[in-house]
Amino acid sequence: MTVALRARVLILAALLVVAFVGVTGRLAWLMIFKRAELAQMAERQYSRTVVLHAARGPIVDRQGAPLATSTPGESLFAQPRAVGDPVRVAARLAPILDVPAHELHAALTSSRSFIWLKRKLPPVEAARVRDLAEPGLGFLDEPLRLYPNRELAAQVLGFEGVDGGLEGIERAWNATLAGTPGKAVVGRDALGREVVTQHVLATPEPGHGVMLTIDKTIQYLAEREIDAAYRRTRSKAAMAVVMEPRTGDILALAIRPTFNPNAFSDAPSRDAWRNRAVTDPFEPGSTFKVILAAAALEEGVVRPDDRIYAENGQLTIARTVIHDWKKFGWLTFTEVLQNSSNVGSMKVGLSLGKERYYKYMTAFGFGAPTGVGLTGESRGVLRDPQRWSALSLPTMSIGQEVSVTALQMVAAFGAVANGGTLMRPRLVKAEFDADGREIRRFEPKPVRQVVSPETARTLSRMLARVVEEGTGHFAMVPGYEVGGKTGTAQKLDPATRRYSRAPGVLSFVGFVPANEPRLVMLVMLDEPKNEKWGSEAAAPIFSAIAGPVLRYLEVPPRDATPIQIVTGGGADGKVAGGVRLASVATETAAGVMPDLRGSTLRQALAALTPRGVRVEIAGRGRVVQQAPAAGEQLGDDAVARLTLSPSGARTVQWARAPEREAVQ
Amino acid sequence: MKKPQRLHREADPRVRRSLGAALAISAVLVGSALGVVGLRVQQVHLAYQLDTLRAERTRTETLIRRLEIEEATLRSPLRVEQRARQLGLTVPARDQVHQAREFVTGTTGLAAAQRNRVAAADDRTTTR
């Protein structure tokens, strides 16, 4: 090889080495030193981070029926710079979104690069907007909260806004219901479409569900009657609170005016959102005499039969004349309560003394929140005895100068109905996870024993007299013994600083059945326009609600003789012959067993009940055998044993053993 | 004058082996590269399928959720009462409602009590 050739080869080799070193160096620079930055840039190009929305937990009633639930929804946004003709787009969107066109136009001509037009659209609206195919509009997934029963228990449930629960349970339990949103990096293709979830940075935790103590059916029954009364009396507000005294469970909380939580912003006034049963204290009036009576009986200040002179309906205390609604002379303490005598009650209050009365008022839970777990709960107004005037004790004895919430009042009456034990009102029964498994249960919580069971029993009997013979007459529920007290309270007129003559708060608080209460209920009308007395306005509403609720709860009336039904077996062998499908021979003389074969259970019971016969039934369907036989005499303690089989069955194969037990 | 001769090169077996090895390696590399590309294409394809299935699942879940809501709406007490009234149903009168006390044979109740009495009598007879 010549020298020149060798030189050229060397130069080429050197150049190659330099080039190789250069490339290697550049690679090292990019791959080692700039790695993180470039990797991030690349990731931005082929992937993006998205928020994974957590499903909000449902709210269900005590039977598991949904009261609030979530469904996937979408929120509409605009990128104003990409919108073609804002005037046209606003005009097309306005009727779909039910938003004024000028507001949409203002949003679409905004200088911002991204703006929400409407959050959480129902699926139908979203589909209609999508059909417009307008550039510059887009959707992002956001769950939509729905309340399938509309106004039912609206103030209890509250509602959810863009940033979570805003009122009621939705607000108080927001942390539990909301869950935790997640985050994920998703790959996208050249068109920007999401391809596959590459990396979940944080898994979304669905919200937990909440089971309330509210019963949807009882709530409906209460709302139906309250709504009718609210309209009829043209009241400012009306409410009913139904509680189970043994557990403190709130079964219904019906309030008017109300709103539809699916469209909460359409409510005529924000007042409709408020849960007045916990936020609004009121002067209870005569219903508060029950608290006085409990304290006086427990302290032995007075006994039910002690006689009190009612001063012919007029008493002057601290230069103030207090009147009764009627001129009463001598009354027993039971009659004082029965007739709601102010004078009699004041005298008992004065005998009790302010310290002892105050002690019982606080023991019954007045002057402190009940702890039901709703936001904005009022403690009511109960001043310290040191700040009482000379008139305070007598007026507090008749439920003035003290303010209570409806829930406090129901809880206090619940204590009387529950043998003297005050229960904490319970609105949330349990919390459950996304799979429906119960993860936390809230047991009934006794607060304290306020009065002895004996005092509670005595007072219950006195309150039953109030309904049977006194002012609470209209609260009677046929077949059940009701105990309760009416209340007619005036409101302070801010102008005159005196009690107004106009109707203020008309109420009835009671429990039923009086001997073994299953329900305690408050009914209240606030400033009704055409009613004057709690006894005439509120007590009938109590009756109208309690009747169907007791039937729904299968509480037997006191005068009912239960029919004994034996189930689980039938006759052995075969029932020979055809089954006659006939109407019951009710023409049979009384005291004689009719021929019931072929009749339905309903027909058989209709025929036997007037005869005062105890009935035992085996099986289902139509009567195929009966004992005694048709035409036999029925004695005083006669038992009619009927064997039924499914309709149309001509021959029935029965199980062996139980037949003897059931039919013999 | 000598006859011009063609240059004849002997095939070097080492070169041939190297060439063969290089070709084989190249084939493996190309094959691997094609395999990787194929897998990637398959991955993207599967990702689209997964995406479709996921969307389908979401749609189904949404449908179930909507049906549940519809069911809850249909079961609303107000609607049930209105429908019942349309069908001519009324609230039963007091005398139309009978209270029943149910006894289940074999465990407790009248039938079981009677059977137990019989069994007790039998026992006494046996003991005597």
Side-chain angles (χ1 to χ4, degrees), chain B residues 38-102:
Chain B
L39 282 174
R40 182 67 189 159
V41 168
Q42 183 70 4
Q43 187 195 355
V44 170
H45 183 67
L46 287 172
Y48 276 117
Q49 267 189 332
L50 190 63
D51 202 35
T52 311
L53 289 171
R54 228 182 239 141
E56 182 63 30
R57 188 182 68 179
T58 307
R59 267 198 301 278
T60 309
E61 281 174 355
T62 307
L63 182 65
I64 289 170
R65 201 74 63 85
R66 281 190 194 139
L67 289 173
E68 282 172 355
I69 291 165
E70 195 174 330
E71 186 196 2
T73 310
L74 292 173
R75 283 174 176 269
S76 148
L78 175 66
R79 185 194 163 274
V80 171
E81 188 181 10
Q82 284 171 348
R83 189 81 188 106
R85 290 194 189 285
Q86 280 170 5
L87 294 171
L89 301 176
T90 56
V91 178
R94 239 191 108 205
D95 58 350
Q96 288 179 295
V97 180
H98 297 284
Q99 189 207 347
R101 188 172 294 158
E102 192 171 16

Side-chain angles (χ1 to χ4, degrees), chain B residues 92-120:
Chain B
R94 239 191 108 205
D95 58 350
Q96 288 179 295
V97 180
H98 297 284
Q99 189 207 347
R101 188 172 294 158
E102 192 171 16
F103 295 90
V104 179
T105 56
T107 52
T108 58
L110 294 181
Q114 188 179 350
R115 189 181 55 195
N116 293 341
R117 275 200 302 278
V118 172

